[in-house]
Amino acid sequence: MAALSKNVEEMLIRLAENARTEQDFVLTLSDAIRRVDEQLLRDVRNVALQHELRREAILGELQDLATRLCALPTRVPAQPVAAIDQQQGNQTRAEIDAALNGQAGDWRQAAQNMHDEFEFTFNGQPRH
């Protein structure tokens, strides 16, 4: 019986030593995880700071661009565009004058003109 109690005591001592060793491992692991967590937090804060700095720089460049765009001189329309507008205006005015004077147009001819216009615009390709 003395041998049994001696074996139990030895097992209890080994168990206590194993528990201490495992507790040391857990504390070491906890320390390592805490250090990695702190480093990760520093890295995330650094990335967020760099992002904010880049965002502010881009915003500043966009504001400078907007300022420069507002400072551009206004363009004067070219003469050919005005001539085209004037021709279209004259044609529309002639059509309105004809309608007011009681000159009615032929709807069949108008439909054919529209068809011809579409054919010219779309080069005979399907419009759907």
Side-chain angles (χ1 to χ4, degrees), residues 57-112:
I58 291 170
L59 183 62
E61 289 178 17
L62 287 173
Q63 287 173 340
D64 289 344
L65 178 63
T67 302
R68 282 183 282 169
L69 288 175
C70 290
L72 292 176
T74 57
R75 288 182 146 187
V76 176
Q79 190 64 11
V81 174
I84 291 171
D85 289 342
Q86 186 178 16
Q87 289 173 356
Q88 290 174 349
N90 289 339
Q91 182 182 6
T92 305
R93 209 171 298 126
E95 291 171 359
I96 292 173
D97 289 341
L100 290 176
N101 291 333
Q103 298 173 355
D106 182 16
W107 64 270
R108 290 177 192 93
Q109 182 61 41
Q112 183 61 42

Side-chain angles (χ1 to χ4, degrees), residues 1-98:
M1 192 58 108
L4 183 61
S5 106
K6 185 178 178 183
N7 283 343
V8 169
E9 283 183 36
E10 285 177 7
M11 287 182 72
L12 285 174
I13 291 171
R14 281 187 17 212
L15 186 62
E17 288 174 0
N18 285 345
R20 263 192 303 267
T21 303
E22 287 185 13
Q23 188 175 13
D24 289 342
F25 286 149
V26 168
L27 290 174
T28 304
L29 181 60
S30 174
D31 254 359
I33 290 173
R34 184 184 47 74
R35 283 193 308 271
V36 168
D37 190 41
E38 288 172 356
Q39 181 62 38
L40 180 62
L41 181 61
R42 281 192 299 271
D43 290 345
V44 167
R45 286 179 178 164
N46 190 23
V47 166
L49 179 65
Q50 289 174 356
H51 169 73
E52 189 65 28
L53 291 174
R54 281 193 305 269
R55 191 182 73 77
E56 286 177 9
I58 291 170
L59 183 62
E61 289 178 17
L62 287 173
Q63 287 173 340
D64 289 344
L65 178 63
T67 302
R68 282 183 282 169
L69 288 175
C70 290
L72 292 176
T74 57
R75 288 182 146 187
V76 176
Q79 190 64 11
V81 174
I84 291 171
D85 289 342
Q86 186 178 16
Q87 289 173 356
Q88 290 174 349
N90 289 339
Q91 182 182 6
T92 305
R93 209 171 298 126
E95 291 171 359
I96 292 173
D97 289 341

